[in-house]
Amino acid sequence: MTHTPASPQGLNLALQGGGSHGAFTWGVLDALLEDGGFKFPGISGTSAGAMNAVAVAHGFAMGAAQTPQDPAAAHREACEIARATLRQLWEGVGAMGSFTLGVAVMSNPLMGLMSQFLSPYQTNPLDINPLRQLLERTVDFELLGQALHHDGMPKLFICATNVRTGKGEIFSDARVSADAVMASACLPQLYKAVEINGQFYWDGGFSGNPALYPLIYRTQCSDMLLVQINPIEHDDLPGTASDIAERTNEIMFNAGLLGELRAIDFVRRLLAEGKLDPDRYKSVLMHQIDGGAALSRFGAASKSRVDMAFLLRLFELGRKEGLQWVHDHRNDVGVRQTLQIVDNA
């Protein structure tokens, strides 16, 4: 049911990558956009999360281009265009027959064996990636760049990993492009490093899945919703080679996120104790929709599964979780944190 408040509540979005499991995030975003009660000052995304992020921003850019007189009507229209863009993107993925954004390649025995002996410079010398063509058909990056400074437009933060320095790099403002999104999603076992202005980039998951700090320092909004699709905890000890490889990837791709969550919690505690200046440090209110547990039952191989029936199943799971979160926590936004950050270290 669409919610029509006098003014939408500000909520930053932090979107993880994880191959076709990003369709779960599509469902979450569809629920938030349909509700209409939220605006998104900033969206940080990595890999499949970056694709979801630019699809949402494209919707708001299209809405800004139409410039209706009524701000509430403009917001509703932008939300509906964003929903349509997300559906177009994922239906395009479903029609492609393969998906490799954020896939733990080593979890596939054949791909893992090939990657030990052959690089993408040998197996894919032309660097063919149909995802790029799909992305460019779906998102008007020229329009997106022109609309970035319009009122109501989300700020985009796309994380990729600089191969030379090993550090995460954030592409924002005029630097947001199809190249930046593909860099964020570039698995080195499958694709050549993406070159942007003389620098080479690999998947952003190595350095930030997703990066939270741009949402803290470059927006005024204190609330942040993390849509997580990679599980942090596993109760079972991995025993097979593929299970070990998948768990290794999960730990590696969650490491940066866990570090940032601990830092956010540390700053919050120091602010509460009066040990930091509240005029200089932001008390971030973290929220979470955790799809990791629900998605883990499908197994690592499902991250490259793209039949439309499966993607729609993930979409419905995400949508259900999104609607439940809105029902449970709408009134917490701007008031209190709902993610309990526990550090047992």
Side-chain angles (χ1 to χ4, degrees):
M1 180 178 295
T2 302
H3 183 71
T4 54
S7 178
Q9 298 168 284
L11 183 66
N12 284 330
L13 298 175
L15 310 178
Q16 276 201 325
S20 65
H21 288 187
F24 174 92
T25 303
W26 165 32
V28 170
L29 295 172
D30 188 78
L32 295 175
L33 290 162
E34 180 188 50
D35 179 83
F38 302 95
K39 60 182 178 180
F40 311 109
I43 309 177
S44 178
T46 295
S47 196
M51 290 188 70
N52 280 322
V54 295
V56 171
H58 170 84
F60 280 87
M62 290 287 289
Q66 296 180 16
T67 61
Q69 297 298 316
D70 179 4
H75 179 72
R76 289 194 299 271
E77 179 67 15
C79 287
E80 288 305 309
I81 298 173
R83 292 179 70 197
T85 304
L86 283 163
R87 178 167 289 275
Q88 179 185 350
L89 174 66
W90 284 98
E91 287 181 346
V93 169
M96 279 171 39
S98 66
F99 195 95
T100 51
L101 284 183
V103 176
V105 176
M106 296 303 292
S107 66
N108 182 313
L110 178 60
M111 294 301 295
L113 182 63
M114 288 180 60
S115 67
Q116 293 181 39
F117 302 102
L118 299 174
S119 81
Y121 296 85
Q122 297 167 297
T123 60
N124 188 9
L126 299 180
D127 203 29
I128 298 171
N129 189 341
L131 278 170
R132 175 186 289 274
Q133 285 72 44
L134 170 62
L135 185 65
E136 291 175 338
R137 289 197 307 269
T138 307
V139 176
D140 185 338
F141 283 95
E142 182 177 356
L143 174 66
L144 190 59
Q146 295 170 354
L148 283 173
H149 301 294
H150 290 188
D151 291 340
M153 270 297 296
K155 293 182 179 179
L156 285 176
F157 306 104
I158 305 303
C159 182
T161 303
N162 187 303
V163 180
R164 180 179 62 83
T165 67
K167 298 178 180 179
E169 186 164 334
I170 302 300
F171 292 85
S172 61
D173 299 329
R175 299 185 72 204
V176 173
S177 64
D179 281 341
V181 177
M182 298 315 298
S184 180
C186 179
L187 285 169
Q189 299 94 335
L190 290 181
Y191 296 110
K192 296 179 180 180
V194 176
E195 182 179 2
I196 302 175
N197 294 331
Q199 296 292 316
F200 293 88
Y201 298 92
W202 282 340
D203 196 296
F206 295 118
S207 52
N209 191 21
L212 306 184
Y213 68 90
L215 299 173
I216 299 172
Y217 294 110
R218 295 190 57 187
T219 76
Q220 297 300 312
C221 181
S222 295
D223 287 87
M224 187 188 308
L225 175 60
L226 169 64
V227 184
Q228 193 162 353
I229 56 177
N230 289 315
I232 289 180
E233 296 185 2
H234 262 304
D235 293 332
D236 298 330
L237 179 66
T240 67
S242 61
D243 287 345
I244 291 170
E246 171 62 10
R247 186 59 182 146
T248 301
N249 275 276
E250 289 172 349
I251 292 171
M252 177 173 58
F253 277 13
N254 279 329
L257 172 65
L258 289 172
E260 288 197 90
L261 288 174
R262 293 186 185 114
I264 288 170
D265 190 54
F266 183 59
V267 170
R268 279 179 52 81
R269 285 188 279 116
L270 291 181
L271 284 168
E273 295 168 3
K275 296 179 179 178
L276 288 179
D277 182 355
D279 292 330
R280 295 186 60 193
Y281 295 91
K282 181 191 291 187
S283 181
V284 177
L285 304 179
M286 287 298 306
H287 312 278
Q288 178 195 48
I289 294 177
D290 186 2
L295 295 170
S296 64
R297 71 175 185 264
F298 295 112
S302 68
K303 291 182 179 180
S304 58
R305 180 181 169 185
V306 295
D307 57 283
M308 203 61 215
F310 180 65
L311 295 180
L312 288 174
R313 185 179 179 186
L314 298 187
F315 166 80
E316 292 297 341
L317 281 174
R319 181 173 164 79
K320 179 181 177 181
E321 291 296 322
L323 290 171
Q324 189 64 52
W325 184 87
V326 170
H327 177 271
D328 293 343
H329 298 299
R330 180 197 305 282
N331 293 332
D332 293 319
V333 175
V335 177
R336 62 180 64 86
Q337 175 165 292
T338 60
L339 171 61
Q340 184 64 41
I341 303 172
V342 178
D343 186 356
N344 296 319

